[in-house]
């Protein structure tokens, strides 16, 4: 396993926040994935027909892979990779919010926006490296000797 220098590992609080966001995403998205497979008609009218059931199965397959990847990256503590996956999930939530807004569905707009905010915040925090202690950094400009 490749280890990072201590100045590349996010702080404990950032890792906890990102882990919590990842786990909440897995639980809620997992719930909706399972619900759409068990009862597609519960989500949309006519969902009990063959086409919506097949579509729900395709969407569930993608969700399972992405959510599984999120759990795996969290388990192996691949923080930067997890940050990327959280950012991608945040982008998906933004698109979901736009779809909710277009259809004038307030819960389907607000919920994804809240998740997008949490996901993108966690992704951003994971992408910021901790500042190394004890090093002097040049702030700007030319150095004259």
């Amino acid at each position: 396993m490749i280890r990072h220098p201590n100045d590349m590992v996010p702080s404990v609080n950032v890792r906890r926040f990102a882990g919590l966001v990842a786990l909440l995403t897995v639980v809620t998205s997992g719930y909706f994935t399972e619900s759409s497979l068990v009862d597609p008609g519960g989500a949309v009218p006519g969902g009990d027909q063959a086409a919506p059931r097949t579509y729900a199965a395709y969407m569930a397959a993608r969700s399972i892979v992405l959510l599984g990847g999120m759990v795996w990256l969290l388990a192996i503590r691949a923080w930067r990779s997890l940050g990327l996956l959280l950012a991608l999930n945040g982008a998906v939530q933004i698109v979901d919010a736009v779809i909710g807004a277009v259809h004038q569905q307030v819960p389907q707009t607000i919920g994804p926006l809240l998740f997008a905010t949490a996901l993108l915040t966690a992704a951003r925090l994971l992408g910021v490296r901790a500042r190394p202690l004890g090093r002097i950094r040049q702030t700007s400009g030319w150095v004259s000797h």
Side-chain angles (χ1 to χ4, degrees), residues 93-129:
Q93 292 296 322
I94 289 171
V95 174
D96 285 348
V98 169
I99 293 168
V102 166
H103 292 286
Q104 299 177 351
Q105 298 171 329
V106 175
Q108 287 82 359
T109 303
I110 294 174
L113 282 177
L114 293 174
F115 264 97
T117 301
L119 287 160
L120 294 173
T121 300
R124 173 71 179 121
L125 291 173
L126 285 175
V128 175
R129 294 181 183 167

Side-chain angles (χ1 to χ4, degrees), residues 10-56:
S11 73
V12 171
N13 288 338
V14 168
R15 293 188 312 236
R16 286 181 181 157
F17 176 71
L20 177 65
V21 169
L23 291 176
L24 287 173
T25 301
V26 167
V27 168
T28 56
S29 293
Y31 168 78
F32 287 114
T33 297
E34 186 268 336
S35 296
S36 69
L37 283 174
V38 172
D39 183 21
V44 293
D48 53 348
Q49 297 173 9
R53 283 192 173 283
T54 302
Y55 184 73

